[in-house]
Amino acid sequence: MKAIVDCNSFYCSCERLFRPDLQHKPVVVLSNNDGCIVSRSDEAKAAGIGMAVPYFETKPLIQKHNISAFSSNYNLYGDMSWRVMETLRMLLGDASKVEVYSVDEAFIDLGNIPAEDLYNTAMNIRTTVEQWTGISVSIGVAPTKTLAKLANYLAKKDKAATKCVKVLATRGEQVTAMKQTRVGNVWGVGWAYAQKLIDQGITSAWELSTMPEEWAYSHLGGVTGARLIRELNALPSRQMEKPLVNKKMIATTRMFGQPVTDLNDIKEAIATYTSRAAEKLRRQHSAAKVISVFIVPREQNYEVSFRRGATVSSHITLPAATSSTPELIKPAVQLVESLYEQGKVYKKAGVMLAGLEPDESIQGNLFAAGPQKYHRLLMDMMDNINFSMRDDVLKFATSGLARNWKMRQELRSKRYTTRWEELYEVS
Amino acid sequence: MEGEYFNETSYRGTKKFSQQDVKTADATGFGAAADDYMERGIDLNEQLIRNKPATFFMRVRGDAMTGAGIFDGDTIIVDRSLKADSGKVVVATLNGEMLIRRLEKTFNKVRLLSETPKHATIEVDASCDSLGIWGVVTYSIHPV
């Protein structure tokens, strides 16, 4: 049996852990640069706050209902996410039985627990995670990942009745659950496919599950679609995946706090993002051979451009893979110079590092060419200092001295779990 | 499930100890005999943290617990996985506020005792749901 453990309104739950006064009050968390709503407590949902709605649009509603709004506190959320996942690993007794799916979701492998014990096991996991970390979770249990997701969807939909745990062990339970679930809410069925299916008269997950695999193969994206049908029919087709130790691509992208027009400002931003990406690169002991840069201009006409921004991007292949920040900043800045157009207003930029390979110069290779070796030593020292002092005390001048290209986080709570000077004060 | 279940935990921090950590391992000459007796060294985490994902640090403000040897400015270690038995020092939530107090449970009352004459004892009914236990205080780190 497989299960998905999904944190309830994860970012809001993290904020509430250190704000017991907000326990049953509406809470929302905003995205990077306080742009959109990315997490809502049940009370905020009930007050009519939509998901991914721009903050400024929903401000009147937030004020009217006295909703607490927070900027994203990724230091806190990252640490709390680790705590939830670590608790699961300890409860399962085997790290390979936990597949971290996203910051607030994990698939777990429950093995061959007898059907009659599944509910209690899942409930035990739920209460232990909540007791240890303070984060409440919902759990869906079923023979396949897709059905587990569906069970979880139903558990969340009616928390009072399910107590956040739903088990679909028998075929009867699975069929009933699928009949209650609209096809668009099936894991893996995107918005466009859902429309297509509804047009053909397939409205529930149950109806979808009765379609032949061959049909799914030709109408639902090939092998993925065929697998989806099998999974709905309780035939496991998506296995537990091994954790991805090293990423194959590293990206740092951000919306600008304010729109930017000046080339120098954009260069500073790109240099800052490159530094951040290079740091991530070194942390996984990789070096990059390809660097690509993109910038997104603001559209004149919002309605027309809603779906797709006119991103401009360009990439360059380096003569040799490198993990050195200055060696990456240089081509990145050259790329953005070639992309930039005078007079345009830019709202977003990003840097991507690809063609990753193991960093050969890590162990201070005695035979490596001189500058390479010293670059690596320099980078190690810089990373150590920045890591121990936390706030980038050392940075490259290209990243700008006056201006701070970090996120706008006006409403951020304290980093209670990662900074000594920001610990919760109790009296 | 509530009781003994949470007591099984032990320190789950890193216990990595590779040959590179042996300080004399790179001696090329004679006799790194001490190698064989090399230990990992004392790690405070082992002593102070029993269950890492459930352990939080907080700073004490005020003198509510001076009688228990917990002073203003001390760093406390709070373990959320421990059972809050009567007599333990806990971080409690009461009406949306967090407090460090000694917990005392009787058959129908729950008391939060401060250990200084300045603060009054807080008493609530055992069924009161505005009181919650955030975690159990396991250590206080006090500068000397």
Side-chain angles (χ1 to χ4, degrees), chain A residues 266-296:
Chain A
I266 292 179
K267 276 157 69 176
E268 282 182 9
I270 287 293
T272 306
Y273 303 162
T274 309
S275 306
R276 181 58 21 93
E279 234 172 70
K280 290 189 214 166
L281 186 70
R282 292 192 291 270
R283 221 176 289 150
Q284 69 166 48
H285 306 299
S286 299
K289 196 142 169 65
V290 178
I291 179 163
S292 76
V293 164
F294 71 86
I295 45 177
V296 185

Side-chain angles (χ1 to χ4, degrees), chain A residues 280-395:
Chain A
K280 290 189 214 166
L281 186 70
R282 292 192 291 270
R283 221 176 289 150
Q284 69 166 48
H285 306 299
S286 299
K289 196 142 169 65
V290 178
I291 179 163
S292 76
V293 164
F294 71 86
I295 45 177
V296 185
R298 197 175 65 183
E299 294 300 321
Q300 308 297 325
N301 189 339
Y302 274 101
E303 281 106 282
V304 178
S305 65
F306 186 20
R307 295 231 134 230
R308 188 173 273 276
T311 306
V312 280
S313 75
S314 178
H315 73 274
I316 194 166
T317 303
L318 303 167
T322 179
S323 65
S324 158
T325 303
E327 284 181 13
L328 290 165
I329 284 182
K330 215 175 147 192
V333 167
Q334 282 167 358
L335 284 172
V336 79
E337 275 174 347
S338 68
L339 292 174
Y340 171 81
E341 279 178 61
Q342 183 85 43
K344 276 203 170 159
V345 182
Y346 293 93
K347 59 173 187 181
K348 188 178 180 178
V351 173
M352 258 181 288
L353 302 176
L356 304 192
E357 41 190 80
D359 191 348
E360 300 289 344
S361 59
I362 286 174
Q363 294 290 343
N365 187 348
L366 206 59
F367 304 103
Q372 263 289 331
K373 185 178 161 188
Y374 294 116
H375 263 297
R376 181 68 212 191
L377 284 174
L378 179 66
M379 289 302 108
D380 278 350
M381 279 166 76
M382 186 167 138
D383 287 346
N384 275 336
I385 292 170
N386 280 339
F387 189 66
S388 57
M389 312 293 285
R390 310 292 163 98
D391 269 319
D392 306 334
V393 287
L394 288 185
K395 55 181 184 176

Side-chain angles (χ1 to χ4, degrees), chain A residues 17 83 131 420 424 426-427, chain B residues 6 53 55 59 61 80 134:
Chain A
L17 181 58
R83 287 169 186 269
Q131 164 97 37
W420 285 112
Y424 188 87
V426 63
S427 54
Chain B
F6 295 118
T55 300
R59 196 80 72 189
R61 284 288 159 240
R80 289 182 55 96
W134 199 92

Side-chain angles (χ1 to χ4, degrees), chain A residues 218-238:
Chain A
S218 44
H219 292 90
L220 271 180
V223 69
T224 323
R227 261 196 224 145
L228 177 61
I229 303 289
R230 289 171 60 81
E231 285 256 312
L232 286 175
N233 286 298
L235 301 164
S237 309
R238 299 186 65 161

